[in-house]
Every structure is written in structure tokens, then in C-alpha cells.
Amino acid sequence: MDKKKPKKVFVKGAIPPEKIATSIANHQSKTNIGAHSIFLGQIRADEIDGKKVSAIDYSAYEEMAENVFHEIREAAFSKFDMTCCHIYHSLGQVKIGEICLFVFTSSAHRKIAIEACNYLVEEIKAKVPIFGKEIFEDETHQWKVNK
Amino acid sequence: MDKKKPKKVFVKGAIPPEKIATSIANHQSKTNIGAHSIFLGQIRADEIDGKKVSAIDYSAYEEMAENVFHEIREAAFSKFDMTCCHIYHSLGQVKIGEICLFVFTSSAHRKIAIEACNYLVEEIKAKVPIFGKEIFEDETHQWKVNK
Amino acid sequence: MKLTLRYFGMIAEATGRTEEILNVSDQIKLYDLKDQQIKKYKIQDPEAVQLVVNQDLNTSTVLKEGDEIAFLPPFAGG
Amino acid sequence: MKLTLRYFGMIAEATGRTEEILNVSDQIKLYDLKDQQIKKYKIQDPEAVQLVVNQDLNTSTVLKEGDEIAFLPPFAGG
């Protein structure tokens, strides 16, 4: 399918729910698909030492990150019999309650779509040079670290 | 959260992508959520003995099915620390390429949302009395059986 | 006693109806009822037919007046 | 030789810049460069700082003219 075409992952600001609907609708012509698995990361209003997070400001080593995203997709295609695979990640400020990560996998059968989606999420968290500044309501900040 | 309210799962015909976008948007005010996991079942144009599926006509033992859906949701809430959980399934005719199942789980952390979503999908496939008539392009049909 | 029988999916197709009310002996057991209807309607693959009394999968085999017995073919949700 | 250094996230915050071009001895190794810059900018938690040469995580420690060396703090994608 669209395995070989390198795709841009980063989007400016939050990922709107309508973008997700459009992505889903775009797959209705692919009638060999039986299952989609979607993961969405949403910004949490964490409270740290009495201060509440109001947004995360994402930055990245962009050129490297796009390459790593591409490699992760390629690895997923070689491991899993996916029909399609799409990844979008925010750059810049994303407010609490908004979506910052959208991973979308499709396959003929559910187990493949689900496993591929999980694989991609874990790989993205571990390997892509993206940095997150947690901005508190009082405009101070701290740097987020993935667990 | 909305654990106790029994909810109607069945919808008439295909589940439109816009319904999925609306569900996602409705969770932006829940700022304790960090991760959503979504599973979508889509009708495949399977070819069987040279005949191509054009739609599935879903029927159900509705009263029992709504009860089983409710029990499955309750069990998932007791097993997984979810914030929210939504399930929608089509009744009646759903064409190839359209969505017939929408499972949506949310949690503070990704592993819980993902595991809960997988659990729900497997439980739904195994335990809910839903029946599917695969309609071929020549208007003959056969009955679908879950594997 | 009177029982309500409900048929679904390929079973409803075989019986030509989705529901019927039967008048049966008070002593009839669930498996007898199943055998009787399977033969009557020549329902294929009886092993795959699951009977549910009053929407409860964990059902007893003893029947009583007014019970609703559903004849369910294999599930195909999702 | 000339090297391009790039700083990200909390490291860019500590250095006060996102990029600089350094003129260094041809013999400098990657870990020497790391030590030197960590000390210069008093970067906290040096164990957590990962250096990447020309965007390649599987990088050699030998540097050459024109290399781009990125100083990366812990990842926080998703």
C-alpha cells in the first residue's frame, strides 16, 4: 500500500477530532480492511507540587524525528501485515484535554491492527527525539520525561 | 464516572466517522484522561467461492445483547482503571468499507486504555448475541461466524 | 404449559419465523425441546445452536410456564 | 575542524541557544566534546544527555569536519 511514501508526521498545535474522522473516512474505499486500531494521546491536567499543568509545548529535533518516524513505520510494516499506517504528532503548544498524538493502523484482521498500533506507540515514546515542556497555570514550567 | 448509567449500544446502519469525532471531542473536558484507545470494525469485501460480499445485515437478540454489553462494560470497569468506556454496534445493513463496531476506552495512562479496549473487543465478539448475514453482490447470502 | 420460542439469524431462516408460542408438557426439559424443534425444522448443525432461557446464558434445564427460550446461532458481532 | 552543535529542550534552556558552531581540535572525541559542553553550560544530569552525530543514534565516537552533533534530553513524545 502506501508503505514507501515518506509522510510528514508533525502538525502544528493540537490534532483536531475532525482530522481523525477524515482519516477514518478516507479508508472506506479500502475494502480489504476489517479492523482499525487507533491510539490518541491527550494532555492531562497533572498536578505537581500543588501546581496544575495547563499545556505542553512540544519541540523536536525535527529532521531526525521525521526519519525515526519513517523507520518505525517501515519496521512495523515488515513485522505486521498492515494495510495502512498513519502517525501524527503535535509540535508547539497543546492545551489540556487536546490531542497530541494520533496513531492509526488498519488490517484485514483485528489482532494485527491492534498489535501494530501498540508497537508503534511504544516505539514512538522510546525512540523519537521529541521534547515536552509542561506549562503550569502560573506560567512556570518543567520538562516532561517519558516513563 | 459514567460507570453505572446503562447506555444504548445499537445504532441503525453504519457508524459515521463524524460520530467518532464527536465522541472524541466530548472527552476534551475530561482532563484526567491521558490516553484513548479506539477499535473500529469495518466491513470487508471478502470473496467466497468467487462471490464478493457487498454488505452485512446485522440482527441481534436485542434485549439480551444490551444486557450482555452492560455486563461486559461493568466487568471492564472493575478490571481496568478506565475513565470512560463507550461501545456502539450497528444493526441492519452496513456496506463494505463502512464501520459496524466502535469501542472507545479512556484512561490516565496508555496501557490501561489499550488493554481495556482489547478486552472489550474480545468479549463482544465472544459473548454478545449478534448475527450477521453476509450479502453477496448477486444478492445471495451466507451467515457469518466469528473466529 | 406455554413457552415462547424465539429464533435468530440462520435459525429464523430455517424455521421461517422469528417467534412462536408452543403448548408443551409440563415435564419437558430444555434438551428435549431443542431436539424436537431441530427435527421439526431440519435445522442444520445442531451442535452450533445455543439455547438461552429468559436471556440468561447460565440457564437451568428445567422449564416453567411463560419462559422465553431463544435459539441462537453462532455469534458474529463486530 | 568546525562542528555544528544543536541543543534541544531543557539543554537549550541551559545553554541559552539552540545552535552554535565550534572550532575544535581534529583529535576531539565525542565524549570529550560532551564533557566540555556539560561543564561550560553547567548542564544538569549529564547521564540523561544523549549525543547524536548527523542524526544517527548508532554513532561512532570519531568526529570529522562539518559534523552536526545534537545534545538530546530525555524524550517525551506522545
Side-chain angles (χ1 to χ4, degrees), chain B residues 58 60-61 63-64 67 89 100-101 125-132 141 143-146, chain C residues 6 8-11 13 52 54-57 68-78:
Chain B
Y58 283 108
Y61 186 8
E63 313 90 294
M64 177 177 166
N67 287 340
H89 197 292
C100 59
L101 172 63
K125 296 248 177 198
K127 294 189 178 166
V128 186
I130 296 173
F131 317 103
H141 70 263
W143 292 90
K144 183 176 171 252
V145 174
N146 275 352
Chain C
R6 297 185 62 181
F8 293 91
M10 68 179 84
I11 299 172
E13 199 171 60
V52 165
N54 300 329
Q55 304 178 25
D56 189 356
L57 271 177
E68 174 178 291
I69 296 101
F71 285 65
L72 305 179
F75 300 169

Side-chain angles (χ1 to χ4, degrees), chain A residues 40 42 44, chain B residues 30 32-37 80-84 105-114 116:
Chain A
L40 302 173
Q42 180 168 303
R44 256 196 336 263
Chain B
K30 302 198 175 178
N32 54 337
I33 292 173
H36 304 288
S37 183
F80 303 101
D81 188 17
M82 291 188 292
T83 314
C84 293
T105 56
S106 308
S107 175
H109 301 286
R110 69 184 181 281
K111 284 187 201 303
I112 295 165
I114 290 169

Side-chain angles (χ1 to χ4, degrees), chain A residues 58 60-61 63-64 67 89 125-128 130-131 141 143-144 146, chain D residues 6 8-10 13 52 55 57 68 70 72-78:
Chain A
Y58 283 107
Y61 186 8
E63 312 90 296
M64 178 178 167
N67 286 340
H89 196 293
K125 297 246 177 197
K127 295 189 178 166
V128 187
I130 297 173
F131 317 104
H141 70 263
W143 291 90
K144 184 177 172 253
N146 274 352
Chain D
R6 296 185 63 181
F8 293 91
M10 69 178 85
E13 200 171 62
V52 165
Q55 304 178 26
L57 270 177
E68 172 178 292
L72 305 179
F75 300 167

Side-chain angles (χ1 to χ4, degrees), chain D residues 26-40:
Chain D
D26 283 4
Q27 271 65 53
I28 198 169
K29 291 287 196 303
L30 191 64
Y31 41 83
D32 299 325
L33 184 71
K34 180 175 173 178
D35 278 355
Q36 171 190 313
Q37 299 305 96
I38 294 272
K39 274 181 198 136
K40 177 171 170 194

